[in-house]
Amino acid sequence: MKKIVVMAAAAVAFLAPVSVFAAKAKKVTIEFWTHEDANRQKLEDRYIKEFTATHPNVTVNVTRQSSTKLIELIQTAFAAGKGPTMFNLSINDEYPYIMAGRVAPMNYKAAGYKNANDVINAYAPNMLEPVTMNKKIYGLPLELTNWSIFVNKKVFRAAGLDPEKDLPKTWEDMMAVSEKIALRDGNILKRRGYDFRYKYYLENTVPMVEQLGGQLVSADGKEAIVGKDAWIKVLTFLQQWGPNGKNLGSPTYTAARSAFNKDNGDIAMCSTGLYQEARIKHDNPAFYNSNDWAVIPYPKFKDAKKDVAACYYGHYYMVSSDASKEEQEASWALIGYMLSHGEEYLKEVNIIQPTNALLNSDTYKSLPYSKVFADDMKRGHIVYYGSNSSAIQSALGTAVQAVMLQKVSPEDAYKQLKKTVQELIEE
């Protein structure tokens, strides 16, 4: 069943948790799997070193992979009974592991809390709902992420556009502006205006449908792919966007977010989160320090029935239920220690741990364009998550690629998508 929560910015006092986990004689090894982020890695390597210095019986082995590869590796590892001790994924990829009993409930005291209520009171309302089941909490958020639109002003100017006046506000604007920016060598795009976050259809495509009055799953959880006209309009828009339409972008190109930081003049806009600012600063300091980039709100259709921004999602730290009691305790102690540095994560990596204290801090409010992200957060809702969310994500990808790359009609793609997702929610 679809779950939607709204984040509020209520402030309550919050002190960094202090773990009661003590060094013990028994040797413990933690296999920690996480997604790549050069800026975050520097902090985490230091935190792990500090933690193991005070807990000499604990060894931490870290495996880092791209976000997409990590999803595959963890799925394969758990299927073989060799999953990591602790890990993080986006909630729509993690939730099935909670449902399947593959992750252990939180050890509150090891992480530095008194009980579940103590944890809940430290975070903004509903932020722990996706990882709470039967009054037990199964994860803590490493980061809460939503996407807005990053803009390279130089590419706008190179295309003869004004990077202030010509910024897109609607999806129709986005297509028109991208047509003016696009440069091609034959059918090969050498310069794109905007391109989508392919593979992340729950986060990026579903809100487009919701703007037009459609739904992924009905409120009662009984019907999938609700609102035929809305779904067909979005699939038609994507078909026109792709190589068999106006040829403005495609899942086959380098991800727009990955290309943006290089400032090579080949991408004008991309969807990404506040963390991108820290990555630009790390990858390309000259570009970061220039006045040649900006962030604007997530667009909506001109005839939108609802004002909906990109879905936000969380990466939650979780601990395997297959781990020993000692490994679980040590893992939660490490998680608690790392997450006690929320303000440093924000300053150095631009990732948001949604504690009440951090969301109301001057550090958060002073970040470039933080208000754009905060306002888009209010327009959005948490991404769909459930035991079938990974399979639904895949079904959405199949439909989008069918219309963009295989010349399947939007009507036929809609019919197959509805059939597939209906079967998934009925399982």
Side-chain angles (χ1 to χ4, degrees):
M1 181 176 179
K2 184 176 181 180
K3 302 174 186 265
I4 297 176
V5 299
V6 179
M7 179 177 141
V12 299
F14 172 65
L15 297 177
V18 178
S19 172
V20 299
F21 176 75
K24 299 178 181 179
K26 186 173 182 179
K27 299 291 185 182
V28 175
T29 298
I30 298 172
E31 297 294 339
F32 171 31
W33 292 12
T34 186
H35 62 283
E36 294 171 332
D37 185 319
N39 296 307
R40 197 180 82 246
Q41 180 176 339
K42 294 176 183 178
L43 294 184
E44 289 174 345
D45 286 347
R46 194 188 87 220
Y47 298 154
I48 290 169
K49 185 177 180 180
E50 293 169 354
F51 181 84
T52 54
T54 57
H55 301 80
N57 62 308
V58 178
T59 299
V60 182
N61 298 324
V62 186
T63 297
R64 292 183 172 91
Q65 296 285 349
S66 69
S67 297
T68 303
K69 184 66 175 177
L70 188 65
I71 294 169
E72 300 171 359
L73 286 177
I74 289 178
Q75 185 177 37
T76 302
F78 271 120
K82 298 178 180 179
T85 318
M86 59 178 269
F87 64 99
N88 71 76
L89 295 171
S90 61
I91 185 58
N92 47 303
D93 293 306
E94 283 182 310
Y95 192 77
Y97 295 113
I98 300 177
M99 294 289 290
R102 301 312 302 265
V103 295
M106 186 177 172
N107 185 322
Y108 306 115
K109 292 184 178 180
Y113 296 91
K114 296 177 182 177
N115 50 40
N117 284 337
D118 194 24
V119 182
I120 291 168
N121 289 337
Y123 285 85
N126 301 310
M127 288 300 101
L128 299 178
E129 182 179 308
V131 291
T132 301
M133 185 179 294
N134 298 324
K135 298 182 179 180
K136 294 181 179 180
I137 299 171
Y138 285 82
L140 285 180
L142 164 65
E143 58 182 301
L144 183 78
T145 304
N146 70 317
W147 297 339
S148 296
I149 307 298
F150 276 68
V151 175
N152 186 316
K153 297 180 183 180
K154 287 191 290 184
V155 178
F156 266 69
R157 288 192 288 265
L161 297 171
D162 187 319
E164 305 296 334
K165 297 179 181 178
D166 294 325
L167 294 173
K169 295 180 179 179
T170 68
W171 286 114
E172 290 85 355
D173 292 343
M174 186 69 85
M175 182 174 281
V177 168
S178 293
E179 282 189 89
K180 294 176 181 177
I181 293 173
L183 286 180
R184 302 178 183 84
D185 181 1
N187 290 325
I188 305 299
L189 274 168
K190 295 297 185 180
R191 185 173 74 190
R192 288 174 286 173
Y194 168 82
D195 213 356
F196 292 89
R197 289 288 293 269
Y198 300 104
K199 300 182 181 178
Y200 296 92
Y201 304 101
L202 288 171
E203 293 85 351
N204 205 31
T205 309
V206 169
M208 296 172 70
V209 174
E210 291 175 340
Q211 290 176 356
L212 297 170
Q215 294 175 282
L216 180 69
V217 180
S218 61
D220 61 10
K222 294 181 179 180
E223 183 183 359
I225 314 300
V226 180
K228 180 179 179 180
D229 291 346
W231 280 97
I232 289 179
K233 180 169 180 175
V234 170
L235 289 170
T236 300
F237 184 90
L238 292 170
Q239 187 169 66
Q240 292 173 346
W241 189 274
N244 295 306
K246 295 178 181 293
N247 191 18
L248 301 175
S250 169
T252 60
Y253 286 102
T254 299
R257 181 194 63 77
S258 298
F260 188 85
N261 292 8
K262 296 177 182 178
D263 186 31
N264 285 336
D266 55 356
I267 186 74
M269 294 173 286
C270 67
S271 291
T272 188
L274 186 64
Y275 58 81
Q276 193 77 15
E277 294 183 10
R279 294 184 182 182
I280 298 171
K281 189 174 183 179
H282 174 270
D283 297 344
N284 195 341
F287 184 39
Y288 178 83
N289 291 317
S290 72
N291 190 38
D292 287 324
W293 62 276
V295 181
I296 61 174
Y298 184 84
K300 61 180 180 180
F301 285 101
K302 286 182 179 178
D303 58 348
K305 297 178 180 179
K306 294 176 64 179
D307 185 12
V308 185
C311 292
Y312 57 85
Y313 59 95
H315 282 81
Y316 290 80
Y317 281 129
M318 293 185 179
V319 176
S320 172
S321 59
D322 293 332
S324 69
K325 180 180 178 181
E326 293 80 9
E327 290 167 344
Q328 291 181 20
E329 184 179 10
S331 295
W332 281 115
L334 174 59
I335 291 168
Y337 181 71
M338 291 196 295
L339 295 185
S340 69
H341 297 81
E343 196 149 337
E344 188 173 23
Y345 271 112
L346 184 61
K347 287 179 180 178
E348 302 298 326
V349 194
N350 287 173
I351 61 175
I352 303 166
Q353 293 166 10
T355 61
N356 290 300
L358 189 64
L359 291 170
N360 290 279
S361 69
D362 291 338
T363 302
Y364 174 70
K365 294 175 182 178
S366 65
L367 287 172
Y369 303 103
S370 61
K371 189 176 187 305
V372 176
F373 287 98
D375 289 345
D376 270 3
M377 180 83 73
K378 294 174 185 176
R379 299 167 54 214
H381 60 77
I382 198 164
V383 70
Y384 175 91
Y385 61 91
S387 59
N388 52 20
S389 50
S390 294
I392 292 176
Q393 183 88 280
S394 178
L396 290 167
T398 298
V400 171
Q401 291 191 37
V403 296
M404 291 188 77
L405 304 179
Q406 300 161 17
K407 299 184 180 180
V408 174
S409 73
E411 291 78 10
D412 287 344
Y414 159 79
K415 290 177 185 177
Q416 183 58 53
L417 177 63
K418 186 173 180 68
K419 179 177 183 295
T420 300
V421 181
Q422 189 67 43
E423 290 173 353
L424 287 171
I425 69 170
E426 289 176 358
E427 286 181 356

